Amino acid sequence: MYEILYQEIKPKKEYEQIIKKVLTKCFQEEKIENTKLSITIILTTLENIQQINKEYRKIDKATDVLSFPMFEKDELDQKIEKNNFIQEDILGDIIISVEKVEEQAKEYGHSFEREFCYMLVHGFYHLMGYDHIQEEDKIKMRPKEEKILTDLKISRIEKEEL
């Protein structure tokens, strides 16, 4: 279902546990857990993601997550509908800057886990063919993301300690 690659950062069990939990839920929600679809998750640094962003999107700045889908939405929907997976197919790659996740978690006032989960879910839905540039696309993608996070009991803002 997935492979995790570390690019210039140290592997952590915490990352692997979160990835397993989130992707398992995403695959179940989209009813693709019994397919031979696979995702590569690349955890990296600010510098590396900035270079990738510059090379592939012509944007010379660090970002939090990049997704590289292997299928167009219609093509993927047809394959899923027919369960047309004779061999393993790569759904795509999700690249996450762990440093950016840490930075944004502090900025938004919630946990690293919440921010990391959101990046994974967000990246997953890009691989599934969803986008958020146009408002009509955003209204399809955002509820899917929120449902996963809600089902996993991951709140947007951490409660203040008493």
Side-chain angles (χ1 to χ4, degrees):
M1 170 166 47
Y2 63 88
E3 175 184 22
I4 304 170
L5 303 175
Y6 293 90
Q7 209 176 50
E8 296 184 35
I9 66 164
K10 289 184 180 179
K12 282 190 177 179
K13 271 280 188 240
E14 175 190 11
Y15 303 154
E16 294 169 21
Q17 291 167 343
I18 293 169
I19 290 167
K20 180 179 181 178
K21 172 176 71 173
V22 170
L23 290 184
T24 297
K25 184 64 183 165
C26 288
F27 271 62
Q28 289 170 345
E29 182 66 25
E30 294 302 317
K31 297 176 179 39
I32 59 172
E33 68 269 31
N34 295 319
T35 65
K36 295 182 179 185
L37 286 168
S38 175
I39 297 174
T40 301
I41 306 292
I42 302 165
L43 303 178
T44 193
T45 64
L46 280 170
E47 295 80 19
N48 285 341
I49 208 163
Q50 180 172 347
Q51 184 58 41
I52 296 164
N53 205 18
K54 181 180 178 182
E55 183 178 339
Y56 290 95
R57 297 180 63 224
K58 309 298 183 231
I59 300 172
D60 190 11
K61 71 176 209 173
T63 189
D64 44 17
V65 62
L66 292 170
S67 301
F68 295 94
M70 294 301 287
F71 300 101
E72 293 295 324
K73 182 157 182 26
D74 293 341
E75 178 187 11
L76 181 60
D77 289 347
Q78 287 178 356
K79 284 180 89 62
I80 291 170
E81 185 180 316
K82 295 177 183 173
N83 198 7
N84 190 14
F85 300 98
I86 298 163
Q87 58 193 30
E88 187 173 293
D89 265 321
I90 303 295
L91 186 55
D93 299 340
I94 300 172
I95 304 170
I96 298 174
S97 167
V98 174
E99 294 163 289
K100 193 71 166 170
V101 170
E102 290 168 347
E103 181 184 302
Q104 289 178 174
K106 288 177 187 161
E107 180 183 331
Y108 301 141
H110 52 241
S111 69
F112 172 85
E113 180 183 12
R114 193 274 173 210
E115 190 66 14
F116 191 54
C117 288
Y118 179 72
M119 291 302 119
L120 287 163
V121 173
H122 186 77
F124 173 81
Y125 277 107
H126 275 306
L127 298 185
M128 293 295 294
Y130 292 89
D131 209 340
H132 50 84
I133 309 269
Q134 304 295 324
E135 191 59 34
E136 65 263 18
D137 296 328
K138 188 186 285 189
I139 61 175
K140 294 175 187 170
M141 184 174 179
R142 292 292 186 238
K144 288 181 166 291
E145 294 171 333
E146 288 302 321
K147 181 171 185 339
I148 297 289
L149 296 173
T150 299
D151 288 353
L152 292 172
K153 297 179 178 27
I154 297 170
S155 62
R156 185 174 291 264
I157 299 173
E158 297 294 307
K159 292 187 172 40
E160 291 182 28
E161 290 185 270
L162 301 175

